[in-house]
Every structure is written in C-alpha cells, then in structure tokens.
Amino acid sequence: MILVTGANGQIGQVLTKRLREIHGADNVLASDITKIEGYEEKFEFLDILNKIRMKEIIHDYDVTQIYHLAAILSANGEWNPKKTWNINMNGVLTMFSLAEEKKIDKIFLPSTIAVFGTTTPRINTPQHVPLMPETVYGMSKATCENWSNYFYNRYKLDIRSLRYPGIIGYQSLPGGGTTDYAVEIFYAALRGKAYTCFLKPDTRLPMMYMDDAIRATTEIMEADEKDIKIRTSYNLAAMSFTPAEITAEIQKHIPTFKVKYEPDFRQDIASSWTESIDDSHARADWNWSHKYDLEKMVKDMLENVRV
Ligand code: SER
C-alpha cells in the first residue's frame, strides 16, 4: 500500500489522484487531519504527530511507500513558528523512524525553494549552496533535507526529495504559501474582478505548473535507485516570473484585467528567496525536463479554472 499524508493539500489532492491512476485506487491510502470530497474510499484520519496512529496505519495497511506531504507552508508558518517546527520536523522524524523499523521501500519528502535565503546566489541558484532560510518553514525543510540524507546514509532508507518551486494548478487551491498569488490571480481574472497582489510587481520567483510538478514527483520515485545521487533534495525548475509578467500574460487573453499592489509581510519572505534555479542535476541524473512555460501555463489555467 502507498500512503499519502497531507492528501487534502494543494499537491496532495492531485498527486493522490495520479498515484491511483498509476498504481490502482485500492493501492493508495489518502490521509489527512480532515476529510474532503473525493476520498470516499481508502482514507484514514491521520495527525502526523500521532505516532501510535501512524504506526497502526503503516502496519494495518502494510504500507510499502510513503509520500509525506503534510506540512505548514511559509506564510502560515510565521503565525505560529513553534507549532510549525513541531509539525514539519517531528512529523517527519516520527515517520522516518517508523519507516526504518518497518523497512519501507521508498519515501517521497518534498522540500522547497524556501530553504534558500539572502546568502544564497539569487540567479540560477546552484544545487549546493549555503542554506540560511529566514522562515520557520524553510528552516524545517532545510533540516529535513539533512535528516533525509542521514537516514539514507545510515539506514539505507530510500528517501527521495524535490525542492518544489511555487506550484500553480487549477485542480486545487494552495494554502498559506508565499507563491499563492500566482493561483489566486486567475480566479480574480476569470471572475472579472481586479486582483490585489500581496507582492511587489517586480518580485521574481521560481514557479512550476502542477502537471510538471506531479510528473517530476512520479518520475523521481520511478527512477533507478542508483540514479538518485542527491539524497538531501534536488533543485527543480520550469519557469520564473514576476507578478507584472504573469499579469501581462493574462491580459493577452483578458485585456480588461487589472492588478493593484499592496505588499504585506509575504514580500519579505519572497525577497529572501532566489529568482531562478539551476536544476541541471535533476536533468542529468534522472532525465527531468519541464513542459510548461509561462505562456503555456497561463493558457491552460484560463481554460481549466472553474469559478
Ligand atoms: N509555495 C511554497 C510557499 O510559498 C513554497 O514552498 O510557501
């Protein structure tokens, strides 16, 4: 059985569906702290801090692979830093320890561009760079990357990880991230409303379309173990744009669309991240290549977002 934690999240909803297409609906168990529509079958409530419950689920369902997506994101994490650290860090350590005990075959643990900080080179950020994140979310993910590497080296636990950029998709809504504006903007545009952006117009961030993010995830998990040479987390890239650039791209389809700018605390978070990512290791080691650029992504979003 494949277990997905955080299956209600932005990526979780889409990834669970894709894993069910690949492996069969009966072989993928969705879990989260609340239940949403679409998980009528094969769903368990799971708070990732509840070690006993996690252990029961892993043993009762004979779990062999885990996609551990449950986490609190960058912006929401700042409201309660200690709670965020507890969930993002101790949830992972609990899961790694149980996985080591049960000899789980493979684990996917997402990381993020939030591991980078103001001491990281901003343009074409290389794979191996100083990580001095400024959010508690980034701190927890950077630490998790090192724990992944440690559990791989010490216990041969096959943990694979990607540093996701901001993810944009029509299938689900993001929750509490700094890149959420790039999804929200489509809902305003399609409702014929002006959008108030919480980042400045020239804030360039690395982004990726959901289809590419899901494919990257399934591809790294299907790759030969010997090809996964980075056991902290792989840089992963597709496109980088600013709020002004995505607005201009949407205006090519909806010329009347307007955006105003009211930067809030999320601007500081975005400014501490890097602008573009060098993901050549992912491309060389397990053949990663993206399909969606800004133009293609905007067109697909405008065709598929339901308002
Ligand atoms: N999209 C995430 C966030 O903004 C980045 O990992 O928090």
Side-chain angles (χ1 to χ4, degrees):
M1 181 69 71
I2 296 171
L3 171 66
V4 183
T5 71
N8 287 357
Q10 185 197 14
I11 295 171
Q13 290 181 45
V14 191
L15 184 62
T16 303
K17 197 160 163 247
R18 181 72 191 119
L19 291 173
R20 286 181 170 170
E21 284 165 10
I22 297 173
H23 302 279
D26 283 348
N27 298 319
V28 180
L29 175 66
S31 72
D32 210 311
I33 45 174
T34 54
K35 193 168 174 174
I36 58 160
E37 216 184 307
Y39 293 134
E40 282 71 27
E41 286 158 41
K42 286 272 180 297
F43 177 91
E44 289 285 350
F45 289 99
L46 175 61
D47 173 343
I48 56 164
L49 293 176
N50 187 339
K51 188 170 182 177
I52 294 170
R53 182 90 184 108
M54 200 189 285
K55 186 168 182 169
E56 276 170 6
I57 289 176
I58 287 175
H59 286 265
D60 287 357
Y61 285 90
D62 191 16
V63 169
T64 52
Q65 284 190 31
I66 301 175
Y67 290 73
H68 185 69
L69 306 182
I72 299 186
L73 293 192
S74 61
N76 272 3
E78 295 306 292
W79 296 114
N80 194 336
K82 286 180 193 148
K83 179 179 166 196
T84 303
W85 178 262
N86 193 22
I87 289 173
N88 291 3
M89 202 58 252
N90 294 330
V92 169
L93 276 184
T94 298
M95 194 267 292
F96 281 178
S97 307
L98 292 173
E100 198 270 311
E101 216 176 278
K102 164 83 168 57
K103 303 284 171 251
I104 295 285
D105 296 340
K106 265 187 243 178
I107 294 172
F108 179 75
L109 180 70
S111 189
T112 160
I113 52 166
V115 296
F116 303 130
T118 48
T119 57
T120 310
R122 289 186 64 75
I123 317 275
N124 263 335
T125 305
Q127 175 69 43
H128 301 292
V129 287
L131 301 182
M132 214 193 280
E134 293 184 6
T135 59
V136 69
Y137 169 64
M139 283 157 56
S140 66
K141 286 291 184 179
T143 310
C144 282
E145 288 189 2
N146 287 320
W147 273 113
S148 300
N149 194 42
Y150 183 85
F151 268 83
Y152 176 75
N153 288 334
R154 174 136 190 200
Y155 303 111
K156 290 286 157 265
L157 199 55
D158 187 356
I159 305 161
R160 304 173 182 203
S161 178
L162 300 170
R163 289 174 177 157
Y164 287 134
I167 307 293
I168 300 152
Y170 58 86
Q171 303 94 327
S172 55
L173 292 172
T178 302
T179 54
D180 294 13
Y181 90 85
V183 178
E184 292 169 5
I185 196 167
F186 288 97
Y187 287 82
L190 286 164
R191 286 186 176 123
K193 297 213 158 84
Y195 179 64
T196 305
C197 184
F198 55 76
L199 298 182
K200 290 186 199 158
D202 60 347
T203 312
R204 185 176 305 282
L205 288 173
M207 300 276 186
M208 179 174 284
Y209 200 38
M210 182 68 84
D211 293 44
D212 277 338
I214 298 297
R215 199 168 44 78
T217 310
T218 54
E219 284 179 5
I220 193 177
M221 288 298 272
E222 282 161 13
D224 256 22
E225 188 175 348
K226 66 167 180 16
D227 292 333
I228 307 300
K229 295 177 183 136
I230 292 172
R231 290 293 176 168
T232 47
S233 188
Y234 275 93
N235 276 8
L236 189 73
M239 61 184 113
S240 287
F241 58 78
T242 66
E245 285 166 357
I246 190 177
T247 301
E249 194 58 40
I250 294 173
Q251 283 167 338
K252 285 187 191 163
H253 303 264
I254 309 174
T256 52
F257 179 51
K258 291 209 160 41
V259 174
K260 57 180 177 163
Y261 295 93
E262 287 177 16
D264 63 17
F265 74 101
R266 289 170 281 194
Q267 180 63 48
D268 287 343
I269 299 177
S271 302
S272 75
W273 294 350
T274 64
E275 291 187 16
S276 56
I277 306 289
D278 172 358
D279 64 351
S280 48
H281 285 273
R283 289 174 194 263
D285 290 0
W286 45 275
N287 255 332
W288 161 244
S289 99
H290 69 281
K291 290 197 174 142
Y292 285 84
D293 57 13
L294 176 62
E295 191 184 337
K296 216 167 149 202
M297 180 273 286
V298 166
K299 188 167 174 290
D300 211 62
M301 281 295 278
L302 290 173
E303 279 166 13
N304 286 292
V305 167
R306 293 283 155 265
V307 291

